[in-house]
Amino acid sequence: MDAVRVALLREVLDGTQWLPAARRFAGALRASVVPQGGGLLLVGTEVYEPWHLAAHLVDEAAWSGLPELNPTLVRHRVGPGEPAHLSVGLGRIEAAGRGETLLVVAPQRPGEGLLERVHDARRAGATVLSLDGGDREIRGLAHEALSVPAGGEVDLDTVQHLVSAAAGENSVPAPRGRRRLRDRLSHLADQLTAPPPGRW
């Protein structure tokens, strides 16, 4: 989703809980990865891989100048011959520890195997964040959670767009004085004229 569509989405959702909730969650994400210099692991459930969020975070990392937002997509099944960036299996979560952040995207309840791995990663010192459908167990494991119940006014895909866009904004303190508007317009122009991202 490009910057114009995100701006329109924000306009539609202005006055709802979703904009401040997405910004709060994105702030927690930034606060956990930036001081550590990265270490963001992104995992979905057995039936839902968060490809779209991974791609948007890669874009936001580039546009915001925050390479720490680049995620490592952790997959439940890795096929033979997959490229390196798509070949990271669940064993990576087992190796997670202090200084790393694990972002779990779970529209439905994750299986026990993933929950156990997330629990172990948290005990080893990893920061756990969850974008979820409201499952109590995954929320209980998360240091920070944002739940998007099914059938509500927005869906989880929409909230992922809001979170990824918010994660890349305000990464550098806004300059004061007369340059502020010019810098903001320049940043928007850069986003609108950037070439489309490569395929995942």
Side-chain angles (χ1 to χ4, degrees), residues 2-17:
D2 62 35
V4 172
R5 290 192 182 106
V6 169
L8 291 172
L9 179 59
R10 286 175 169 167
E11 188 176 319
V12 168
L13 294 174
D14 189 34
T16 71
Q17 67 170 341

Side-chain angles (χ1 to χ4, degrees), residues 120-136:
D120 291 345
R122 180 179 168 131
R123 285 182 51 192
T127 300
V128 177
L129 306 175
S130 97
L131 278 171
D132 58 71
D135 180 74
R136 287 184 180 182

Side-chain angles (χ1 to χ4, degrees), residues 8-199:
L8 291 172
L9 179 59
R10 286 175 169 167
E11 188 176 319
V12 168
L13 294 174
D14 189 34
T16 71
Q17 67 170 341
W18 295 109
L19 295 183
R23 284 193 171 111
R24 174 190 50 77
F25 187 84
L29 174 61
R30 259 196 329 267
S32 67
V33 297
V34 171
Q36 303 298 334
L40 175 58
L41 305 175
L42 176 62
V43 67
T45 64
E46 294 83 348
V47 296
Y48 180 85
E49 285 191 322
W51 295 94
H52 213 67
L53 180 58
H56 282 297
L57 286 171
V58 167
D59 289 344
E60 291 299 333
W63 292 334
S64 67
L66 287 175
E68 301 90 350
L69 290 175
N70 268 315
T72 297
L73 181 62
V74 178
R75 304 180 64 201
H76 288 260
R77 287 172 297 283
V78 176
E82 296 273 14
H85 71 287
L86 298 178
S87 299
V88 179
L90 291 175
R92 181 62 182 88
I93 296 176
E94 294 169 8
R98 189 166 308 283
E100 293 184 290
T101 300
L102 176 58
L103 173 53
V104 182
V105 182
Q108 68 282 343
R109 186 178 193 281
E112 289 301 323
L114 178 60
L115 288 170
E116 288 174 14
R117 287 178 172 94
V118 172
H119 180 264
D120 291 345
R122 180 179 168 131
R123 285 182 51 192
T127 300
V128 177
L129 306 175
S130 97
L131 278 171
D132 58 71
D135 180 74
R136 287 184 180 182
E137 196 157 359
I138 192 63
R139 284 183 61 84
L141 290 174
H143 293 92
E144 188 73 36
L146 179 54
S147 292
V148 186
E153 59 187 344
V154 297
D155 60 16
L156 189 60
D157 285 339
T158 300
V159 172
Q160 289 179 67
H161 285 298
L162 295 174
V163 167
S164 61
E169 70 186 8
N170 301 326
S171 57
V172 178
R176 298 183 183 272
R178 295 177 0 181
R179 295 186 60 212
R180 184 173 184 197
L181 177 60
R182 182 180 302 167
D183 288 344
R184 288 172 50 204
L185 290 173
S186 173
H187 179 68
L188 179 60
D190 289 344
Q191 287 182 334
L192 294 174
T193 59
R199 287 187 52 153

